[in-house]
Amino acid sequence: MGGVIAIIFLITLLTYFLFLTFIVYVTIVGVFGVLSYFGLIQLHTYGYTGDFCRPMIWIYFVLFTIVVMISFISLIISAQQ
Amino acid sequence: MLIKGHYFPGQKRTEKVVLFIRRHWVTYVPWISTVLFLTILPWIIVYFLNQQEISVKAVFDLPLFNLIAEKSRGYIITLLLTFYHLSILFYFLKIWIDYYLDIIIVTPEHLANIQQIGLFNRKVSEQSLLRVQDVTSRINGFFQTYFHFGTVVVETAGDEPNFLMKNVPNPNSVANIVLNLHEELVERGGFEEAIGEGVGEEKIQGSRQQKVKNLINKVIYNLPPNRQGFVASDNSIQKISYQTKNQQKIDNKLTDKADKGDPDVIIIKSSKNPFKEEKNKTTSLIKKTGEKVIKIKPDFTRTGSSLDQFKIENSWLNGNSQNSIEINEGELEDGEDIKL
């Protein structure tokens, strides 16, 4: 119980101030960005023919960008409310 | 970066790829469906909550969650949704990589099964086609029957586990191709390995003649059209490229090797006059160009290497007789010298 309250307090602290929230946001995006980069490295290293690999990489990149942009805009809107 | 055309560690430079197979695309559909469903799931939940006139932020009225400050609640929802969608996207990338990098490769000499396990694990299994004992294809169920994919099981000699190829498109064709390649490889004379793997001795005995002929044909017909010699010793075949067409220089080199006692056979081909293959005959004929031809005394004693051992006749090195030789189908017997 104490642990749960501590976690809630930590979450509140991290999200109370916009700049801390932004740091958390960048951390989340950064972690997934690095993991995606490792995945793309695997494809680059072991990709055999590149027939439909490259379009799929582009699709992933576009979707990733869309999610990041939408979440960033949501964050800004939340800040202004 | 993979060298183009080179897909697995045991692949030789000249080894061409006959089949390059990925799993059937139908096996990918459930994963894609899961990703799509998870993507729209939050919005479905929001829609139903709105239908019930319940706000999403009502969750913060619950015990413990009401401790979270009003200012933080919007941020938390945004961060959670960001984390959620990025997780789904990454999951999509992971299963795509898993699908795309799972490859089955069939060459004239090998089977290779390359499996990508997760993001950072990779397993490459290779099997020589000589070790193939039996190939079975299986199609089970409605989807496999309708979309023509299934499992190919390659049973191998020895204690090695069977080679399993799952969700392969057109498994019957794949099984036929593997079997045909195996038979071609055995005919081409890979008996040394086959001996080790328990292929019947009578099968090997009956084809030694063919084996010598195949070796001659393989070396001669496949040499590039420059002047080259192959020196076969106990453990290797070394290729010697002569940059000159000076026959004397070539002869000196051959003599040197013979004097050193190296058990060699020299096969030299000229670029001037290509070999002629007459109908119904397989010849190693070089028409009056002064080139040295084969002098082989087949010795099928297994030396532990993967090559046969041949002995060169010194008289051939010293002699200047016109060399031409013709081997007809069925003429060569075990141990027979090819007389010049």
Side-chain angles (χ1 to χ4, degrees), chain B residues 71 169 280:
Chain B
K71 191 178 176 184
N280 297 326

Side-chain angles (χ1 to χ4, degrees), chain B residues 77-122:
Chain B
I77 292 173
T78 304
L79 290 175
L80 280 174
L81 283 174
T82 305
F83 181 83
Y84 179 78
H85 283 103
L86 288 178
S87 301
I88 293 169
L89 207 55
F90 179 71
Y91 178 67
F92 164 74
L93 178 69
K94 177 184 164 300
I95 59 177
W96 161 253
I97 288 172
D98 189 48
Y99 165 80
Y100 188 76
L101 296 183
D102 278 357
I103 307 283
I104 294 166
I105 295 170
V106 181
T107 69
E109 294 179 23
H110 292 98
L111 284 171
N113 189 2
I114 302 169
Q115 289 175 295
Q116 183 74 21
I117 303 164
L119 207 56
F120 303 109
N121 295 316
R122 192 171 175 80

Side-chain angles (χ1 to χ4, degrees), chain A residues 25 67-81, chain B residues 43 74-75 77-79 81-82:
Chain A
Y25 170 77
V67 169
V68 168
M69 283 176 60
I70 291 175
S71 57
F72 183 75
I73 292 168
S74 302
L75 212 57
I76 301 298
I77 292 171
S78 296
Q80 290 178 350
Q81 282 179 350
Chain B
W43 312 113
Y75 294 155
I77 292 173
T78 304
L79 290 175
L81 283 174
T82 305

